[in-house]
Amino acid sequence: MSAGIGRVGVVGGGQMGAGIAEMCARAGLDTVVCEVDTVAARAARDRVAASLDRAVRRGRLEEATARDALARMVFTGSLDDLADRQLVVEAVIENPEAKTEVFAALDKIVEDPAAVLATNTSSLPIMRLGMATARADRVVGLHFFNPVPVLPLVEVVTSLHTSAGTTAAVEDFATRTLGKTIIRSKDRAGFVVNALLIPYLLSAVRMAESGFATAADIDTGMELGCAHPMGPLKLADLIGLDTVASISESLFDEFRQPLYAPPPLLQRMVEAGLLGRKAGRGFHTYDQG
């Protein structure tokens, strides 16, 4: 266990937040997951339980380990239940106002001045979130990848205020406690992975939008021609087209380069609720059952 970090909180119990919380509980940590209300908190618990069950069925996790992990977790609808946490990871919607509001609230609620407040944002400036608190030196980016229990990477993103002690603590937490591999990034929109990935995904969207090739052919081309495990439009559907659009907008706002601009087709699909796998339809159609 990472020295000094035994009590972890996760704000947001969606796909990413549930995955982060599951990893923490499996690592033996006392884990509290906070959602907007008790109904959403119960849904988050069901999400984690389903993930643990899948891991057991696939032989990746012992049944007793899964049972113990779930027993270490508390699901709540109140941020006040995070008061005693030593590390809190924010994983709410990729919206600057929502995330800033969470950090401002956590700054008042989390009692230990040495506690670390981390964000799982995939594109927003860490500095902006840190400045919503009175402890910007204790704010850092911990960007996990979906699905969190499977993918081994975490991006550690430091702002101009993040202290060396904070950085060392979260790097030790991610590597030694959770068993992840880390890469380091400066505080720029998109960090390392999305700054490279999003232009690729947007290029595939533009190709489909222009009628140059079908979504199926674009994905098959990259899977069989470049040995990618998943084509770009399937990957965009998995990430969520709303999330892809949000990251794209953040990148374009920061760098003002055309390759980061969200294509009209992507914007229209988001407006239509065609968000990809989670909605049952995006560039491909999915069985919600």
Side-chain angles (χ1 to χ4, degrees):
M1 183 180 297
S2 180
I5 296 179
R7 300 186 302 277
V8 177
V10 179
V11 183
Q15 195 170 40
M16 293 301 297
I20 295 167
E22 178 185 334
M23 285 296 300
C24 291
R26 284 168 61 170
L29 300 171
D30 171 357
T31 306
V32 175
V33 181
C34 182
E35 259 290 358
V36 292
D37 55 34
T38 55
V39 174
R42 283 195 295 271
R45 187 189 187 283
D46 292 344
R47 195 170 290 115
V48 173
S51 176
L52 289 168
D53 286 345
R54 282 194 300 272
V56 171
R57 289 198 307 271
R58 294 170 181 173
R60 296 173 180 165
L61 196 65
E62 295 292 330
E63 186 171 354
T65 304
R67 185 171 58 249
D68 290 345
L70 198 58
R72 290 188 194 98
M73 306 177 76
V74 171
F75 297 83
T76 178
S78 173
L79 280 175
D80 290 338
D81 292 330
L82 303 177
D84 69 340
R85 300 294 94 180
Q86 296 162 300
L87 168 67
V88 179
V89 183
E90 169 275 314
V92 303
I93 187 172
E94 194 72 2
N95 174 280
E97 289 76 23
K99 289 182 181 291
T100 300
E101 183 178 333
V102 167
F103 271 83
L106 289 174
D107 187 41
K108 295 178 175 64
I109 290 168
V110 178
E111 296 169 350
D112 185 355
V116 175
L117 305 182
T119 175
N120 185 57
T121 181
S122 51
S123 62
L124 298 176
I126 308 304
M127 179 64 76
R128 182 185 304 173
L129 301 178
M131 295 305 288
T133 75
R135 53 177 105 183
D137 61 315
R138 307 299 293 173
V139 175
V140 66
L142 272 181
H143 181 215
F144 294 81
F145 291 82
N146 184 39
V148 178
V150 176
L151 294 187
L153 185 68
V154 176
E155 287 182 308
V156 175
V157 189
T158 55
S159 80
L160 293 173
H161 279 311
T162 305
S163 71
T166 299
T167 305
V170 297
E171 288 185 353
D172 182 71
F173 171 79
T175 55
R176 195 152 65 92
T177 302
L178 300 187
K180 299 293 189 180
T181 297
I182 64 165
I183 60 174
R184 302 172 182 87
S185 173
K186 298 298 183 183
D187 189 14
R188 301 291 184 272
F191 316 135
V192 174
V193 172
N194 280 321
L196 294 170
L197 174 64
I198 294 299
Y200 163 62
L201 301 184
L202 298 182
S203 179
V205 173
R206 293 187 187 102
M207 183 174 283
E209 182 176 46
S210 71
F212 189 91
T214 66
D217 283 348
I218 291 168
D219 284 339
T220 299
M222 295 308 295
E223 290 165 8
L224 302 186
C226 294
H228 288 201
M230 184 180 294
L233 299 177
K234 287 181 184 176
L235 180 55
D237 278 352
L238 176 62
I239 294 169
L241 300 189
D242 52 341
T243 302
V244 172
S246 178
I247 299 170
S248 171
E249 289 162 1
S250 294
L251 285 162
F252 184 72
D253 286 346
E254 177 121 321
F255 298 110
R256 294 295 172 182
Q257 295 181 13
L259 77 165
Y260 295 126
L265 175 59
L266 179 62
Q267 295 173 315
R268 294 296 89 76
M269 291 178 74
V270 171
E271 291 168 359
L274 306 178
L275 306 181
R277 186 181 293 272
K278 62 187 175 185
R281 181 181 165 194
F283 287 98
H284 302 279
T285 301
Y286 303 90
D287 179 1
Q288 291 298 85

